[in-house]
Amino acid sequence: MNLPMKWLKEFVPSLNTDPKHYSDVMTDTGSKVEGYETLSEEVQNVKVGLIKKIERHPDADRLVVCQVDIGTGTDTQIITAATNVFEGALVPVAVAPAHVMGGEIKKTKMRGIESNGMFCSIAELGLTLNDMPYAIEDGILILKEDCTPGDDVKELLQIEDTVVEFEITSNRPDCLSVIGLARETAASFNIPAVYHTPTVKGSGDNVENYISVEVKDTEKCPRYSARYVKNVKIEPSPLWLRMRLRAAGVRPINNIVDITNYVMLEYGQPMHAFDYACLDGSKIVVRTAAEGEVFKSLDDKDHTLTSDMLVIADEKKAVALAGVMGGANSEIKDTTTAVVFESANFLGSSVRTTARDCGMRTESSARFEKGLDPEMTLEALNRACELVEMLGAGEVVDGIIDVYGKKWEQVVLPLECDRINKFLGVNLDEKYMTEILERLGFKVENGMIYSPSFRIDIGCMNDIAEEIIRIHGYNSIESTLFASDVKVGLPTESQGYRRRICNFLCSLGFDEIYTFSFISPKYYDKIALPANSKQRNSVVISNPLGEDTSVMRTTAIPSIMEVLAHNNNHHSEAVSLYEMAKVYIPSDDITQLPEEKFKVMAGFYGNGDFYRMKGVVGAILENGGIIDCDYRAKSDDPTFHPGRCAEIVTADGKVIGIFGEIHPDVASNYGIDCPVYVAELDFNELLENSNFERKYKHLPKFPASTRDFAFVCAEEVEVGAIEKVMKKAGGKLVENVKLFDVYRGAQVPEGMKSLAFKVTMRSADHTLTDEEADKATKKILTLLERELGITLRA
């Protein structure tokens, strides 16, 4: 809704504020302002000029030199090529320096003769032929208004105005009008509003001698009002009316059509005018259309109607689509001599579906579909007839046809001050609440609130509370504590641990990704899963978007591989990614939902090797306080490299994850030609084995004793197994075991390897003696030989 401020001030004359402050206040009180614009702001220093003398330019056949009186006492010289100017003409003159819609106007010389400005056309003033119907499109505007040289053209033509654009919500159709917004303005600024009661003098006679109305569907048309105007003279509207419509964004057409548009903008009540000569039978019938009935609208388009659409008809044909658009067969023309003004109330849902199905959403339908005040039809109708008499556009016949089938029922609610205060968290007295409601048009009497007919959105106490608080001001509500105990929402243990892992992986340089849980069965082929693998048993989607999203994944390795491959294909040299991915394990019972599990996925290429991934996995375990896990080599998983893959096993033998280098053939399936490392850990198992208790101990007071060992063992013996036996044998004395050398060569038999360890031993309560260290060393060697068959290297 575009609201011209000059129009608004007719109803709120004491309003005195700038557009910015006005917009802020109206937005704060519930009438959201999208923005505002000053019309014709670019037009500066354009005066009325009287052309006193015109002479040919001595050096240009198409130019003339004009001496112009602009009210300064000295004639101003203007050179122009316009052919429609003449001596004695009053024209708009942009007196240099000036500004028009086309740009800046400066003094200049044209073929050696000085020109001190420019005559203006309607385009240079930002106007059209609809705005100035007596003008010519390609020539200078010859002013016909009552004016004198030197007058400001913007004031003369009333083209300067500030227009505020409102976004009106669907529950407030009353604000789709100047009067509605004036009412809101008066309430928001707590200033008086002045409303006009239309007065129609009439010309005698009786409307019933010319027209009758029959409403066959009072559900879709609760009220239909009409008046008859004879001796109509179709001509352009006066300047003030044209400029009002222009400021509101409506194109002026002629006086009768402009009156209907003016009333619609002023009251929010759409109106229509029928050419009386086009109505067969002198009767208006409001009925539903016949199935398949063809109707030609004012825009010359044919529409095939259905039996649930409401039309305005005469005795033979439809002449308007109710609430949407008039028909071409009853359009107001230059030859029209009598009109019937229609002001009706239609069911909003019926208008909405009709406009939608016919593809015609108009200013009229946009208002009707939100629901309008049925009590407004007569006042709007009388306002239109008042304007007819004011403009001398015709003679209004006495009498009104008013068919009011379904009466409006007023909403009456109790004024529950205590309940409203409790609901809003404020402490307002009854007198103040009553004042606010009365400013908004409500009537409060004997503790009861009587809602006005234009407020169709009011239905309960909450609606009344909203009216009070928006005018009182949301910013005026004082902060208070809740009366009841409030528990602060905290993440669950599972949510907290997921967040902890995510933050930790980010700190290690991994970027988080999100992938779809829907995958293609072909993904399992790409990671080389055997045909009989249990992981191929997936939940199948009944109505997938396509084959690529037809099953729910049981492993997230294909998903992270797809993302790594995408980055590799885009020439990213090194990428580290992670995801908290959900997988779905189907139940043996098809009536049961699948088991949903989170998997901690990590993957990278280009910036590390197997041992970096082992370090990442170890860091995740350590971050969760998981210390009783072993790494066990795994060579039978076809997705991973057989010699660079390991499982993570808990103390009770449960496998909680796998990591390693992706098999080169699998990497090749994704178009990756470099080593790729991936880890997949079971989040639920990590959470179950986690321990976030941290015990701190004093720094050691006594020195450590170290022993170096070099063993020869079979290739298949794992370093982790040796470390485990050493710690077991040394007991509390063994503080740390560290591998520092691996040797394979001529001095070691084939199929064997040499491993060198540094064992740190320390006592918490005394300095270890050599004898104690030697005794612990002997235990270590004995247990290694007994359990693993390992001996010291000679």
Side-chain angles (χ1 to χ4, degrees):
M1 174 71 191
N2 292 332
L3 177 66
M5 295 300 288
K6 288 183 179 179
W7 199 347
L8 172 68
K9 287 190 176 182
E10 278 194 9
F11 298 95
V12 195
S14 58
L15 178 67
N16 185 21
T17 184
D18 62 88
K20 175 67 169 62
H21 181 246
Y22 175 76
S23 301
D24 291 342
V25 171
M26 294 300 289
T27 298
D28 288 344
T29 55
S31 302
K32 183 183 177 184
V33 174
E34 288 291 303
Y36 59 87
E37 175 190 8
T38 300
L39 301 180
S40 302
E41 189 175 21
E42 290 183 49
V43 180
Q44 299 293 334
N45 204 29
V46 179
K47 307 291 184 180
V48 174
L50 173 64
I51 301 177
K52 298 176 67 176
K53 186 177 181 180
I54 300 178
E55 296 178 333
R56 286 284 177 186
H57 193 292
D59 295 324
D61 294 338
R62 298 182 62 183
L63 299 179
V64 294
V65 181
C66 303
Q67 303 301 322
V68 185
D69 178 8
I70 58 170
T72 60
T74 303
D75 292 346
T76 298
Q77 183 168 281
I78 304 290
I79 299 177
T80 182
T83 58
N84 68 317
V85 295
F86 54 90
E87 292 182 358
L90 290 166
V91 295
V93 183
V95 183
H99 210 286
V100 295
M101 298 303 291
E104 188 177 359
I105 305 301
K106 300 178 180 179
K107 290 184 179 181
T108 185
K109 285 190 176 181
M110 303 179 73
R111 295 290 182 93
I113 298 180
E114 188 176 75
S115 179
N116 297 306
M118 180 184 79
F119 296 149
C120 297
S121 66
I122 54 174
E124 281 138 2
L125 298 176
L127 301 172
T128 66
L129 285 177
N130 293 101
D131 304 322
M132 304 299 293
Y134 64 76
I136 60 174
E137 190 167 11
D138 298 326
I140 300 303
L141 174 61
I142 307 299
L143 296 169
K144 295 184 178 181
E145 283 70 28
D146 185 14
C147 58
T148 57
D151 289 349
D152 189 305
V153 169
K154 287 202 294 185
E155 293 181 6
L156 172 69
L157 300 183
Q158 305 174 39
I159 60 177
E160 187 173 35
D161 200 350
T162 299
V163 178
V164 181
E165 181 185 358
F166 286 87
E167 179 187 328
I168 307 300
T169 54
S170 58
N171 67 319
R172 293 300 306 276
D174 59 298
C175 290
L176 287 169
S177 65
V178 177
I179 289 178
L181 290 173
R183 188 185 300 114
E184 289 293 311
T185 299
S188 299
F189 286 86
N190 195 17
I191 54 179
V194 179
Y195 302 112
H196 170 70
T197 302
T199 302
V200 182
K201 298 176 183 178
S203 61
D205 211 340
N206 193 316
V207 66
E208 294 179 358
N209 295 332
Y210 298 93
I211 195 75
S212 62
V213 174
E214 179 185 2
V215 178
K216 292 187 175 181
D217 192 334
T218 56
E219 182 67 29
K220 292 181 180 176
C221 180
R223 191 171 192 180
Y224 193 96
S225 307
R227 292 197 76 159
Y228 179 79
V229 180
K230 62 182 181 181
N231 296 329
V232 170
K233 292 178 284 187
I234 304 297
E235 58 187 5
S237 299
L239 179 68
W240 68 267
L241 180 55
R242 299 197 308 269
M243 292 304 129
R244 282 276 174 87
L245 294 177
R246 169 183 175 266
V250 176
R251 177 170 57 94
I253 298 175
N254 59 51
N255 51 359
I256 297 299
V257 175
D258 291 350
I259 285 171
T260 62
N261 288 331
Y262 187 91
V263 173
M264 178 183 69
L265 293 171
E266 188 171 58
Y267 282 82
Q269 171 66 48
M271 295 188 63
H272 190 65
F274 300 102
D275 188 333
Y276 179 71
C278 299
L279 298 178
D280 292 318
S282 300
K283 183 178 183 179
I284 288 177
V285 182
V286 183
R287 60 171 174 83
T288 52
E291 190 68 34
E293 183 176 354
V294 177
F295 169 76
K296 176 172 282 191
S297 55
L298 281 170
D299 55 2
D300 286 329
K301 293 182 180 179
D302 289 330
H303 304 275
T304 302
L305 309 182
T306 59
S307 59
D308 59 345
M309 296 179 180
L310 193 70
V311 297
I312 313 301
D314 56 23
E315 289 187 343
K316 295 182 179 180
K317 62 187 181 298
V319 294
L321 203 53
V324 181
M325 187 179 287
N329 53 17
S330 61
E331 181 181 5
I332 302 298
K333 309 180 188 68
D334 292 342
T335 56
T336 299
T337 58
V339 299
V340 176
F341 278 113
E342 166 196 281
S343 180
N345 185 264
F346 300 114
L347 182 65
S349 58
S350 173
V351 174
R352 181 169 60 252
T353 55
T354 299
R356 180 198 64 199
D357 294 344
C358 292
M360 294 190 299
R361 194 168 190 274
T362 62
E363 286 285 342
S364 175
S365 68
R367 286 169 167 79
F368 275 122
E369 67 185 25
K370 294 175 176 62
L372 294 182
D373 175 13
E375 298 294 300
M376 184 169 53
T377 60
L378 281 185
E379 189 170 4
L381 184 62
N382 287 331
R383 174 59 167 159
C385 291
E386 181 185 50
L387 288 171
V388 168
E389 293 181 339
M390 187 186 303
L391 271 56
E395 299 175 11
V396 181
V397 171
D398 290 347
I400 300 174
I401 295 176
D402 185 26
V403 181
Y404 199 172
K406 189 176 181 180
K407 303 286 185 180
W408 166 69
E409 295 181 5
Q410 188 172 35
V411 175
V412 182
L413 298 169
L415 178 55
E416 304 171 278
C417 297
D418 292 341
R419 188 178 172 198
I420 290 173
N421 279 327
K422 184 177 180 181
F423 179 70
L424 297 175
V426 295
N427 185 24
L428 307 177
D429 59 39
E430 182 177 347
K431 181 180 179 182
Y432 181 61
M433 290 185 183
T434 300
E435 178 193 339
I436 288 177
L437 292 172
E438 289 178 343
R439 281 156 56 184
L440 290 168
F442 292 81
K443 179 182 177 183
V444 183
E445 192 173 81
N446 299 324
M448 303 300 291
I449 305 169
Y450 298 86
S451 177
S453 58
F454 55 81
R455 290 307 301 271
I456 63 170
D457 59 315
I458 301 299
C460 62
M461 182 278 294
N462 292 10
D463 298 326
I464 296 297
E466 180 185 2
E467 295 303 299
I468 292 171
I469 197 61
R470 70 184 180 88
I471 299 301
H472 174 66
Y474 292 104
N475 295 332
S476 300
I477 301 176
E478 295 183 3
S479 299
T480 57
L481 295 175
F482 287 101
S484 58
D485 294 333
V486 178
K487 293 183 179 179
V488 178
L490 295 173
T492 63
E493 183 182 14
S494 175
Q495 292 170 336
Y497 189 36
R498 286 204 301 271
R499 186 179 302 171
R500 182 188 183 105
I501 291 176
C502 289
N503 291 339
F504 183 67
L505 285 170
C506 283
S507 72
L508 295 180
F510 285 75
D511 295 313
E512 186 174 13
I513 61 170
Y514 285 91
T515 59
F516 288 116
S517 299
F518 309 122
I519 64 171
S520 167
K522 294 179 182 178
Y523 277 26
Y524 297 138
D525 298 330
K526 293 182 75 171
I527 64 169
L529 279 185
N532 60 349
S533 173
K534 290 184 179 180
Q535 288 185 305
R536 285 184 177 268
N537 180 24
S538 305
V539 176
V540 180
I541 306 300
S542 299
N543 55 342
L545 296 175
E547 193 274 341
D548 288 344
T549 55
S550 59
V551 299
M552 307 292 287
R553 66 190 177 191
T554 58
T555 172
I557 292 178
S559 301
I560 198 168
M561 285 297 297
E562 288 287 339
V563 181
L564 289 169
H566 176 82
N567 282 270
N568 183 69
N569 292 340
H570 286 75
H571 310 294
S572 297
E573 294 182 359
V575 174
S576 298
L577 306 173
Y578 81 90
E579 180 182 12
M580 297 298 295
K582 188 173 284 189
V583 299
Y584 300 82
I585 311 302
S587 172
D588 294 334
D589 184 354
I590 61 172
T591 64
Q592 300 296 317
L593 292 174
E595 182 184 4
E596 300 181 23
K597 291 185 175 182
F598 274 110
K599 297 287 185 178
V600 181
M601 302 300 302
F604 63 80
Y605 69 82
N607 55 1
D609 54 16
F610 173 83
Y611 294 104
R612 183 199 175 204
M613 181 57 82
K614 181 173 182 285
V616 169
V617 171
I620 293 173
L621 297 176
E622 183 179 352
N623 183 260
I626 305 171
I627 58 176
D628 294 330
C629 284
D630 291 329
Y631 302 103
R632 186 169 64 196
K634 185 172 178 63
S635 59
D636 58 351
D637 190 318
T639 302
F640 291 92
H641 191 295
R644 299 169 190 168
C645 176
E647 293 177 328
I648 304 107
V649 185
T650 61
D652 58 0
K654 187 178 292 185
V655 177
I656 63 173
I658 187 171
F659 67 93
E661 180 182 332
I662 293 295
H663 197 289
D665 292 342
V666 173
S668 178
N669 291 340
Y670 289 92
I672 303 176
D673 58 0
C674 63
V676 182
Y677 302 89
V678 170
E680 183 180 45
L681 311 180
D682 190 308
F683 173 78
N684 292 338
E685 293 294 340
L686 292 177
L687 178 61
E688 185 178 332
N689 288 276
S690 62
N691 179 11
F692 300 113
E693 291 185 4
R694 295 292 183 264
K695 294 182 180 180
Y696 298 91
K697 58 183 180 181
H698 295 290
L699 292 173
K701 298 179 181 180
F702 303 98
S705 178
T706 60
R707 294 288 189 273
D708 292 342
F709 302 91
F711 302 107
V712 175
C713 61
E715 281 284 358
E716 60 270 16
V717 176
E718 296 175 359
V719 171
I722 298 175
E723 292 179 346
K724 190 174 182 180
V725 171
M726 285 183 170
K727 291 178 180 178
K728 178 181 175 182
K732 294 182 180 180
L733 292 182
V734 176
E735 185 178 75
N736 185 42
V737 178
K738 181 179 180 181
L739 176 73
F740 66 86
D741 184 57
V742 178
Y743 174 74
R744 297 176 180 88
Q747 299 179 22
V748 177
E750 187 176 350
M752 305 291 282
K753 60 184 176 182
S754 172
L755 303 176
F757 293 88
K758 181 183 291 293
V759 178
T760 303
M761 294 177 284
R762 192 194 307 268
S763 172
D765 53 10
H766 67 280
T767 300
L768 281 179
T769 63
D770 289 341
E771 290 78 9
E772 289 175 314
D774 292 341
K775 185 177 180 181
T777 299
K778 186 175 181 181
K779 285 183 179 180
I780 291 172
L781 296 174
T782 301
L783 194 59
L784 283 172
E785 184 174 5
R786 184 168 67 239
E787 292 194 1
L788 299 178
I790 296 176
T791 59
L792 286 173
R793 178 180 173 186

